[in-house]
């Protein structure tokens, strides 16, 4: 599978997608207009090994709800990601059996290298 989960209203996602120069073979899913399904989240979990790795702790709702002050388990991370799109760390790039989560420079470079090599 070649797919990117992103948010079209996120300037960082847009910049990264341009920088990586995604081939047309990649399926692009805007998680705001086409929310992540439970099945898709399970696929991402199987590649990443953790719901926490997929969770965006910088999301405004994370602090607004006081979630940063309570212990969260894997089940709760999954529940929150499915509940609201901002809880998914973005972008998530799946290149066959490799997954790249987030927007750190190192992650973006690794994704770019994986896609174009």
């Amino acid at each position: 599978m070649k797919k990117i989960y992103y948010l079209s209203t996120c300037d960082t996602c847009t910049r990264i997608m341009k920088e990586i120069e995604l081939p047309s073979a990649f399926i692009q899913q805007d998680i705001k207009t086409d929310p992540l399904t439970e099945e898709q989240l399970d696929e991402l979990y199987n590649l990443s090994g953790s719901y926490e790795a997929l969770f965006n702790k910088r999301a405004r709702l994370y602090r607004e709800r006081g979630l940063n002050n309570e212990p969260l388990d894997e089940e709760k991370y999954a529940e929150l990601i499915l509940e609201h799109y901002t809880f998914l760390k973005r972008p998530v790039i799946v290149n066959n059996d490799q997954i790249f989560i987030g927007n750190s420079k190192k992650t973006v470079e690794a994704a770019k290298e994986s896609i174009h090599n």
Side-chain angles (χ1 to χ4, degrees):
M1 176 172 63
K2 293 180 179 292
K3 190 164 192 172
I4 182 167
Y5 298 90
Y6 73 105
L7 190 56
S8 61
T9 55
C10 171
D11 291 338
T12 303
C13 285
T14 305
R15 177 185 53 80
I16 289 170
M17 289 169 70
K18 280 182 185 172
E19 182 181 328
I20 289 177
E21 298 171 348
L22 285 174
S24 60
F26 270 77
I27 298 164
Q28 298 180 17
Q29 182 172 334
D30 183 347
I31 59 173
K32 186 173 185 178
T33 58
D34 186 8
L36 206 60
T37 65
E38 208 169 311
E39 185 180 279
Q40 289 171 326
L41 183 59
D42 288 343
E43 289 172 8
L44 297 180
Y45 172 82
N46 289 334
L47 288 170
S48 69
S50 162
Y51 290 115
E52 185 176 7
L54 296 162
F55 190 82
N56 180 9
K57 292 183 179 176
R58 291 182 171 179
R60 190 175 58 221
L61 280 178
Y62 180 65
R63 288 183 304 282
E64 283 178 4
R65 291 187 184 177
L67 297 170
N68 54 333
N69 297 321
E70 56 184 79
L72 302 175
D73 59 16
E74 285 289 295
E75 192 177 308
K76 186 66 176 175
Y77 283 122
E79 187 182 300
L80 289 165
I81 291 168
L82 289 172
E83 178 189 316
H84 201 276
Y85 65 87
T86 59
F87 287 126
L88 181 68
K89 193 182 282 189
R90 312 172 294 276
V92 176
I93 301 168
V94 177
N95 188 26
N96 299 318
D97 61 346
Q98 293 183 295
I99 188 168
F100 304 93
I101 305 164
N103 57 27
S104 75
K105 190 172 182 137
K106 184 178 171 186
T107 300
V108 173
E109 283 301 314
K112 190 174 183 179
E113 188 175 316
S114 169
I115 290 166
H116 294 291
N117 286 339

